[in-house]
Structure formats: C-alpha cells, structure tokens
Amino acid sequence: MSDFSQQDVQILRREPGFRGFYQMDVLTLRHRLFAGGWGPELRRELFVRRDAVCVLPYDPWEDAVVLVEQMRVGALDKRASPWMLELVAGLFDEGESAEEVARREAQEEAGLELRELIPITRYFPSPGGSNEHVHLFCALVDSRGVGGIHGLAEEGEDIRVQVLSLAEARQALSDGRLDNAASIIALQWLLLNGQHVREQAGPRP
C-alpha cells in the first residue's frame, strides 16, 4: 500500500470542461513527491462518469457463457468492426446496489434471470484520466433458450445475445476477438475458477 493518502493531494481548482451524456472536469492540482515536498501545479482533464457493473453470465451445467454484441463508438477507428462481444454491463442509478444493477441489466440486455452472483473484483479501468470504478461479477444462469435481440429502444440499444461454450470463449480470448478489459478479466477468472464454480453449483435446479 502507498504511504500517501487523499491528504497528500491538493486540488487548487476544479472547473467544468464539458457536460453531455458524460462530463469532463478540469483539475488544477499538486501532490506530494516520493522524494519529499510538493510537486508543481498540474492541469489534468478528468472523465467523470457513474460507476459500472459488469457481469459474466455462466451456465455451469452446460459449461457455457452468455455474451452480448453491440456497436461501440470507442472502437470505430481501432478495429475492423466496432461491434464487440462483451459482458452484460450497465451504470449505477442513484440508490442502486451493485447486485441490483447486475440483475436489471441482465434482464434488459439479455433477458436473463441471474441465479447467484459471485463477486470477482473491483477495478479502475483507466485511472490516469477517468474516475470510473467497475464492479465485476460472475453470475450463474440457465442458458437454455437464451438468445435473440435485446436492449432498450428508448436508449438506442441494439444488442444481440450469444451463448458460447467456455472452450469457444477461451478461443475467442486467445484469438483477440474478446478485447475489452472486463471480458478479459472475467473470463480469465472463470478459466482459473470454473471447476470450483461447477462443483459448488450442484445439480441443475
């Protein structure tokens, strides 16, 4: 753990930079140095957004995962297709718990009822410029009959649901077709812990 705390950063000014679907704040700050004393004033743009919940739905009885596919604007100039395979995910609404977000988004994005939520970790995907904090889960599901097109029309969502065997998901990970942080972290966790999850799941309800 670091020797420093919040008290070792001085925010001298915090100004609005942009307000839209997301927001950007402009911070002028300085912080203590490892060698002692205070560093110079720094100007940093901070991407401010609500925290997120990401869920890897896993059917331990079929050894299969449920993934969603949708267009992502951040991938427009970076890959051949901006349609990405991902976990079920969504942002917190005020007053919601992480578990409530997970269950709501699973229903909206994939028509899924989550049987059990298993916490994996929490992490900052890009702390150099964003304050987003991600709550990552694996969830036990019954994948039989799952699929189709989902999402909220009023939010412009167009989401295709796919069921992959864990072996197929592992190959997609190896091939680089699964190339977003939450999916990589969650699938690697499942590949390490899948046997234990299957043993604990017991017979199909």
Side-chain angles (χ1 to χ4, degrees):
M1 295 294 292
S2 176
D3 296 331
F4 296 130
S5 69
Q6 296 281 355
Q7 285 66 46
D8 297 303
V9 179
Q10 291 182 345
I11 298 177
L12 306 174
R13 290 184 299 280
R14 184 168 188 149
E15 303 162 302
F18 173 79
R19 296 292 185 266
F21 183 77
Y22 297 118
Q23 73 179 54
M24 185 79 70
D25 285 356
V26 181
L27 278 66
T28 303
L29 57 85
R30 64 177 189 158
H31 61 79
R32 291 193 185 275
L33 303 174
F34 289 115
W38 289 88
E41 286 191 14
L42 304 171
R43 174 189 164 100
R44 294 289 183 264
E45 289 79 27
L46 178 67
F47 181 34
V48 179
R49 57 175 291 168
R50 286 174 286 161
D51 291 345
V53 174
C54 297
V55 184
L56 174 61
Y58 176 57
D59 185 334
W61 305 285
E62 299 292 333
D63 200 23
V65 298
V66 180
L67 299 175
V68 297
E69 182 184 6
Q70 59 187 314
M71 195 282 292
R72 288 307 201 189
V73 66
L76 281 171
D77 300 321
K78 301 290 186 177
R79 67 203 304 268
S81 170
W83 273 259
M84 304 184 76
L85 273 178
E86 301 178 326
L87 307 187
V88 167
L91 304 178
F92 280 82
D93 286 337
E94 188 172 351
E96 278 188 306
S97 69
E99 291 78 8
E100 288 170 334
V101 178
R103 295 185 185 282
R104 170 173 57 78
E105 291 294 337
Q107 184 59 238
E108 291 175 2
E109 293 194 350
L112 279 173
E113 296 291 338
L114 305 184
R115 296 183 180 274
E116 180 184 346
L117 278 164
I118 305 169
I120 296 176
T121 192
R122 300 179 190 177
Y123 68 97
F124 292 93
S126 188
S130 173
N131 69 347
E132 181 185 17
H133 201 211
V134 174
H135 300 243
L136 189 59
F137 293 92
C138 178
L140 303 191
V141 299
D142 183 347
S143 65
R144 294 176 298 181
V146 170
I149 309 299
H150 296 267
L152 298 180
E154 61 268 27
E155 294 184 6
E157 293 181 330
D158 181 53
I159 299 170
R160 181 166 65 177
V161 177
Q162 300 188 35
V163 180
L164 281 69
S165 70
L166 187 55
E168 290 172 329
R170 181 202 296 264
Q171 191 60 53
L173 192 61
S174 297
D175 294 343
R177 287 180 286 132
L178 281 168
D179 57 355
N180 56 86
S183 298
I184 292 169
I185 296 168
L187 275 168
Q188 288 179 337
W189 179 91
L190 183 58
L191 291 169
L192 289 171
N193 296 279
Q195 181 175 346
H196 177 72
V197 172
R198 290 187 291 274
E199 290 171 353
Q200 293 297 307
R204 186 190 296 274

